Amino acid sequence: MKNYYTIVVVLAALAITGTSCKKNILDTQPFDKFDENTVWSSKATADAFINGAYASILQDFTSSPSMAEYETYAGNAVVNASGFGLQVANETFDRYTDFGFNRFANIRRCNLALSKLPGSPLTETEKTELIAEARFLKAMTYFNLTRKFGRVIWVDTLLTPNDDFKLPLTASVGESYSRIMNLLDAAITGLPETAKPGKASRYTGFALKSEVALQAAAYTGDELYFDVAIAAADSVINSGHFSLEADYEGMFNESKMNSPEILLAMYRSRQNTYSEDIEDLQNIMPNTNNGSVAARGGYPFFKVDGIFIGWMWWGVSQNLVDNYLVIDQADPSKAVKWNESAQFINNITRVSSPDPVIIDSGRLTGSSDVSALMYQHRDARFYASIIYDSCSWFGESISMKVRGNLYRLTNGALGPHMSPSNYIWRKGVYNTSPRVGYGVPTDYHWVIFRLGRVYLNKAEALLKQGKVAEAVEVFNATRTTHGQLPPSTAANSEDAWTDYKRERRVELAKEQDFYWSLLRWGKYGGDANHGIPPSGTIPELTEPSTFVEINENRSGYSIQELVFLNQNQHKFTANKRYLFPIPQSQIERNEMLTQNDNW
């Protein structure tokens, strides 16, 4: 790896442990093992310890493996095998399900640094920066836990075997967010103005703060948090250190790993990383060959037979695709839904169907073909994020119509290594040579925070303050730069929220955002959630997943519910689902814990 930060993990010689019963209470195994005299005696070794904490903690904010699961929760992804997010989308989980409550080892890593660094022989400048990073990472850990569970076990000291491990939860969600904010404020004062790629700067702290503030406002009702979100976002936007990336697709592959838009990313090196180590590569890549294509009378054949040999677990829903707008060719100043453009309406006759799973269908009456009408003139992020019928990928002509080479039934049935929706993720897929496949070395990076996300955080806070015109101007920054769409002209709250929610969905697709945003908007209620009162149902979380079927000669299409694996049976029980349950196994070990409401 050349110019970005390589994450190193400290190997250890000694272990700090407690009694076995206490370990079981907080599930802190395995303890970090280390030689204290070595670790804290130099900047290099202390920094390496902190880098190990980055590697462990930031994993919860990458899109692998949780991306596809959370995208499935939110209806953006579809699956071709049971599980992998369906337990939440279909509400088949209970209070015994663990959604990652056990992050005590990560908390201990941070507390260990916070305990040992003040007395280390490092310079004051070195200690200040490392302590700030530990605080930032601890805030990241607790934000991950708080948005899931609300109340958390807050550990502020380095526990020893003689301490009582039966600690209580915070008294309220409000206390959890207040503690995170205090921790972030302390971190920001010590973080550097600029940082190496893979490390947090002061502005990374502000970016996190802007997002924590939105979630805190939604779950506590304290509207002062919107001022906090705006101020934090402005600190990043006005810093002069970052700019929106013109190459949106490149920001998520090998082209722009150090884009000026990225505030924090997690990097892996080809020196010790292979395609199968990266779920965003291996598990979204199809697996078929010319033999399978030929066996079902398909075409065209691949120029390189065996170019696609992935394990394909997740595809993309038509629900997400519907949100990438089209520039209306009759009036290029307007961006509309794909089936509302003049070019579509003038060339398609809609066809009704008695089949209840067919949502929309039509046949060609003009001179174009259905795929061109559906996919031309789209939001530029569509082409950067989605593989669709009649596009190119890895040098191959991709066909996802009936009998196409990557059609959902190319392998003979739904499920085996093909997307059931006729869409595949492009975003985050490297142009790995010779292909994505087992044993192929690759660099990789996950974008954790970036400027576009900060712009959207600010826009949301402005919308909640009723500053519609200002909010629209802010979210138009990503819409026009990344989407290459005409700006939104929304002039009232309802329309502005509609455009903003769509913008956030497509801008941050596959960046572990939409599920948490939907919960936040549901908590707000009103224009943020289809006029529904606060803490009500969330329509997007009950929509059936849908797929597209384009006929063989591209003269017709249908949009259908995806019955496969009951992906048309999404549920959302409002009085339970705004927080996950505290795992019952933890409650049974520790009588200080109490369950979340209605679980």
Side-chain angles (χ1 to χ4, degrees):
M1 302 176 73
K2 295 180 180 178
N3 59 346
Y4 46 88
Y5 206 87
T6 304
I7 292 178
V8 188
V9 179
V10 177
L11 297 178
L14 298 176
I16 297 178
T17 60
T19 63
S20 59
C21 64
K22 291 182 178 180
K23 293 177 198 172
N24 288 338
I25 292 170
L26 289 188
D27 286 349
T28 50
Q29 290 185 352
F31 288 110
D32 283 315
K33 297 179 178 181
F34 58 92
D35 180 338
E36 287 192 33
N37 292 330
T38 299
V39 171
W40 309 113
S41 63
S42 75
K43 173 65 161 58
T45 52
D47 199 43
F49 180 89
I50 295 294
N51 292 340
Y54 273 100
S56 181
I57 291 166
L58 293 190
Q59 185 67 34
D60 282 329
F61 292 84
T62 69
S63 54
S64 177
S66 55
M67 170 282 296
E69 294 192 7
Y70 280 98
E71 294 292 329
T72 303
Y73 300 168
N76 285 346
V78 293
V79 303
N80 71 351
S82 59
F84 306 132
L86 291 182
Q87 63 174 352
V88 172
N90 299 345
E91 286 195 350
T92 57
F93 66 97
D94 59 24
R95 69 182 187 276
Y96 286 93
T97 309
D98 190 329
F99 290 100
F101 187 85
N102 172 20
R103 292 297 182 266
F104 300 112
N106 286 342
I107 295 166
R108 182 178 178 81
R109 286 184 177 94
C110 298
N111 285 340
L112 192 58
L114 294 173
S115 173
K116 300 297 182 181
L117 280 167
S120 74
L122 276 61
T123 68
E124 289 305 311
T125 299
E126 291 169 340
K127 287 191 284 189
T128 295
E129 186 172 313
L130 290 169
I131 287 171
E133 288 185 272
R135 286 170 171 159
F136 169 80
L137 290 169
K138 185 174 177 179
M140 289 281 284
T141 302
Y142 273 116
F143 179 49
N144 174 50
L145 292 171
T146 300
R147 65 183 181 177
K148 289 179 180 178
F149 306 106
R151 296 169 302 137
V152 297
I153 297 177
W154 194 279
V155 185
D156 247 343
T157 59
L158 183 63
L159 297 176
T160 72
N162 296 323
D163 290 320
D164 184 0
F165 280 27
K166 292 187 176 182
L167 302 175
L169 296 166
T170 48
S172 64
V173 177
E175 181 188 347
S176 300
Y177 279 115
S178 178
R179 285 175 175 263
I180 293 169
M181 280 296 185
N182 291 337
L183 194 58
L184 264 179
D185 286 339
I188 288 168
T189 61
L191 287 169
E193 184 80 6
T194 60
K196 295 178 180 179
K199 303 274 276 183
S201 73
R202 178 176 309 162
Y203 301 105
T204 314
F206 281 123
L208 174 59
K209 187 175 181 180
S210 71
E211 198 150 317
V212 172
L214 292 180
Q215 214 75 14
Y219 277 78
T220 67
D222 186 350
E223 295 190 353
L224 292 178
Y225 275 119
F226 296 124
D227 290 325
V228 174
I230 293 168
D234 280 339
S235 295
V236 179
I237 294 167
N238 299 329
S239 69
H241 290 292
F242 310 97
S243 59
L244 291 176
E245 174 61 67
D247 182 4
Y248 179 86
E249 181 178 355
M251 186 163 42
F252 302 99
N253 62 31
E254 71 279 7
S255 302
K256 295 291 181 69
M257 297 180 74
N258 292 319
S259 165
E261 182 166 336
I262 296 175
L263 282 82
L264 181 66
M266 182 175 173
Y267 296 93
R268 293 285 296 269
S269 169
R270 65 185 295 111
Q271 297 172 5
N272 57 13
T273 303
Y274 299 89
S275 292
E276 67 269 19
D277 300 325
I278 308 298
E279 293 195 14
D280 297 76
L281 296 178
Q282 192 76 6
N283 290 346
I284 64 173
M285 186 66 59
N287 190 320
T288 193
N289 53 48
N290 285 339
S292 293
V293 175
R296 288 156 191 91
Y299 56 91
F301 290 150
F302 300 110
K303 290 179 286 186
V304 179
D305 197 9
I307 187 69
F308 297 118
I309 56 172
W311 298 337
M312 177 59 80
W313 292 354
W314 291 286
V316 183
S317 69
Q318 178 69 40
N319 312 60
L320 174 60
V321 170
D322 285 343
N323 283 271
Y324 292 93
L325 297 178
V326 173
I327 297 176
D328 194 315
Q329 295 305 285
D331 182 0
S333 68
K334 294 194 310 183
V336 298
K337 294 180 180 179
W338 63 270
N339 54 6
E340 295 177 358
S341 70
Q343 60 268 29
F344 187 87
I345 292 171
N346 292 338
N347 288 280
I348 291 289
T349 297
R350 306 298 263 278
V351 178
S352 61
S353 172
D355 190 335
V357 301
I358 296 180
I359 297 170
D360 180 25
S361 63
R363 65 174 182 269
L364 190 66
T365 55
S367 59
S368 185
D369 69 60
V370 165
S371 292
L373 292 171
M374 292 179 76
Y375 302 131
Q376 287 182 355
H377 312 297
R378 283 273 183 132
D379 183 319
R381 290 165 294 194
F382 173 73
Y383 307 111
S385 303
I386 313 295
I387 300 300
Y388 56 96
D389 182 51
S390 297
C391 74
S392 297
W393 196 30
F394 280 89
E396 301 287 346
S397 296
I398 302 302
S399 175
M400 302 180 83
K401 64 181 181 59
V402 172
R403 298 188 189 278
N405 53 18
L406 289 184
Y407 175 56
R408 68 197 203 115
L409 296 176
T410 291
N411 288 347
L414 289 178
H417 306 303
M418 299 295 283
S419 171
S421 66
N422 291 321
Y423 294 110
I424 299 170
W425 291 105
R426 184 194 292 266
K427 186 174 181 179
V429 176
Y430 279 31
N431 301 302
T432 303
S433 181
R435 61 189 177 276
V436 173
Y438 188 88
V440 177
T442 183
D443 294 327
Y444 200 79
H445 76 292
W446 293 270
V447 177
I448 309 296
F449 288 114
R450 58 184 177 89
L451 183 60
R453 190 171 187 134
V454 175
Y455 269 108
L456 294 178
N457 291 345
K458 179 180 178 180
E460 182 168 321
L462 290 168
L463 281 174
K464 283 300 295 175
Q465 292 183 334
K467 300 173 182 176
V468 171
E470 190 176 348
V472 171
E473 181 181 2
V474 172
F475 72 69
N476 271 335
T478 55
R479 176 173 163 132
T480 58
T481 303
H482 292 155
Q484 298 176 32
L485 293 173
S488 166
T489 58
N492 58 63
S493 176
E494 182 180 359
D495 291 345
W497 271 104
T498 297
D499 284 359
Y500 167 73
K501 290 173 66 176
R502 179 187 296 114
E503 178 62 21
R504 190 164 187 124
R505 186 172 190 174
V506 300
E507 172 74 13
L508 299 179
K510 202 169 172 279
E511 294 182 59
Q512 206 195 114
D513 176 80
F514 193 53
Y515 179 74
W516 306 112
S517 291
L518 285 172
L519 294 181
R520 192 168 64 245
W521 301 333
K523 278 289 185 180
Y524 296 157
D527 289 339
N529 188 32
H530 308 278
I532 297 168
S535 300
T537 191
I538 299 175
E540 290 90 343
L541 294 179
T542 61
E543 287 178 352
S545 292
T546 55
F547 71 96
V548 65
E549 186 89 345
I550 298 171
N551 66 11
E552 188 171 356
N553 63 3
R554 297 190 174 99
S555 64
Y557 76 94
S558 66
I559 307 298
Q560 303 182 36
E561 293 184 10
L562 185 58
V563 180
F564 181 58
L565 298 176
N566 293 321
Q567 291 181 76
N568 62 335
Q569 300 295 318
H570 293 178
K571 301 176 183 178
F572 182 82
T573 304
N575 67 346
K576 299 173 68 173
R577 281 283 302 285
Y578 279 98
L579 293 172
F580 288 139
I582 306 295
Q584 190 65 28
S585 60
Q586 294 285 339
I587 293 174
E588 290 170 359
R589 296 174 185 177
N590 180 1
E591 64 273 13
M592 300 288 286
L593 308 184
T594 56
Q595 187 55 270
N596 282 332
D597 290 345
N598 301 309
W599 286 107

